[in-house]
Amino acid sequence: MLTQEQALDIYRSTGAVLKGHFKLTSGRHSDTYMQSAKLFVMPDQAEKVCAALAEKLAEAGVKADMVISPAIGGILMGYEVARQLGLPNIFAERENGEMTLRRGFSFEKGAKFIVTEDVVTTGGSVKEVIELVRSLGGEVVAVASLVDRSNGKVDFGVKFVNLISMDVVSYEPEDCPLCKEGKIELVKPGSRTVFKK
Ligand code: ZN
């Protein structure tokens, strides 16, 4: 199995570890951004990382019927982890701001789920997917992520299995030293939108 350092090396080698001044999905600012989409540009590399996570899930004794992930970040990862585990895979997406199942996705009551998300910072989207699964009569047995940026601080109330756990400093916008310095432009990496503060 890959060690955390080996997994991180793969992230770096695919250009998925960005340095600069970033606005995270949570709204916080950071000098580091894990752009997992870059990892999935290289399917052979993504396969290795997701296989290691699938192994870790098995080691942790996680037994599930299905994999679900929040769009968009978790979709590719969910697919590959589900493929490794031999499980069906669906994803949840927002409609009018609410996490929901579209595209004819459904499941039987009592189905056990692994929720996958590429990078967990505050875990907001994952928590919404957990609520969605429960509201539809499913059970969430574990959360799995490639990167836990909270370094173990996020509590989902279920097993949380991740490959890379790191403590990346992030700031509320008003406390951000990069904003105060004003030298590096703030970007939202997902969309490449440049924000004026
Ligand atoms: Zn900032």
Side-chain angles (χ1 to χ4, degrees):
M1 198 204 295
L2 294 178
T3 62
Q4 161 155 312
E5 205 41 50
Q6 288 168 328
L8 202 48
D9 278 344
I10 292 177
Y11 254 81
R12 287 194 195 102
S13 73
T14 58
V17 182
L18 309 181
K19 292 285 179 183
H21 183 192
F22 304 107
K23 182 178 168 131
L24 308 177
T25 312
S26 61
R28 294 172 70 86
H29 294 190
S30 178
D31 68 352
T32 305
Y33 187 85
M34 303 295 276
Q35 179 54 280
S36 303
K38 293 294 289 284
L39 168 69
F40 287 94
V41 169
M42 306 305 288
D44 59 332
Q45 301 301 306
E47 181 183 12
K48 279 189 220 168
V49 173
C50 290
L53 185 63
E55 249 181 89
K56 262 190 126 166
L57 281 160
E59 259 180 22
V62 173
K63 289 197 168 43
D65 303 310
M66 287 178 96
V67 171
I68 187 169
S69 45
I72 297 175
I75 294 179
L76 289 172
M77 179 211 165
Y79 173 85
E80 182 58 21
V81 170
R83 195 181 72 84
Q84 296 279 347
L85 294 172
L87 297 177
N89 172 55
I90 59 175
F91 59 88
E93 58 199 305
R94 282 181 207 288
E95 191 172 40
N96 303 320
E98 252 330 88
M99 205 58 93
T100 181
L101 287 187
R102 300 177 68 187
R103 303 166 200 276
F105 290 151
S106 65
F107 57 85
E108 295 193 358
K109 282 219 180 340
K112 292 185 168 64
F113 280 88
I114 297 166
V115 179
T116 65
E117 171 74 305
D118 55 349
V119 180
V120 165
T121 305
T122 58
S125 304
V126 169
K127 285 174 189 165
E128 286 176 70
V129 173
I130 291 174
E131 284 313 307
L132 172 67
V133 166
R134 287 178 182 156
S135 73
L136 296 170
E139 184 190 340
V140 174
V141 292
V143 172
S145 75
L146 296 176
V147 181
D148 171 20
R149 283 189 53 138
S150 84
N151 202 17
K153 285 189 208 77
V154 172
D155 182 9
F156 294 111
V158 296
K159 264 182 202 166
F160 181 26
V161 179
N162 55 73
L163 210 51
I164 300 169
S165 188
M166 56 201 296
D167 204 358
V168 182
V169 181
S170 64
Y171 310 93
E172 287 301 324
E174 57 272 23
D175 302 326
C176 177
L178 293 162
C179 282
K180 282 187 187 122
E181 263 179 54
K183 284 184 191 146
I184 313 169
E185 238 173 338
L186 178 66
V187 294
K188 190 174 180 194
S191 61
R192 282 281 169 206
T193 307
V194 177
F195 283 83
K196 300 229 162 53
K197 180 139 185 282

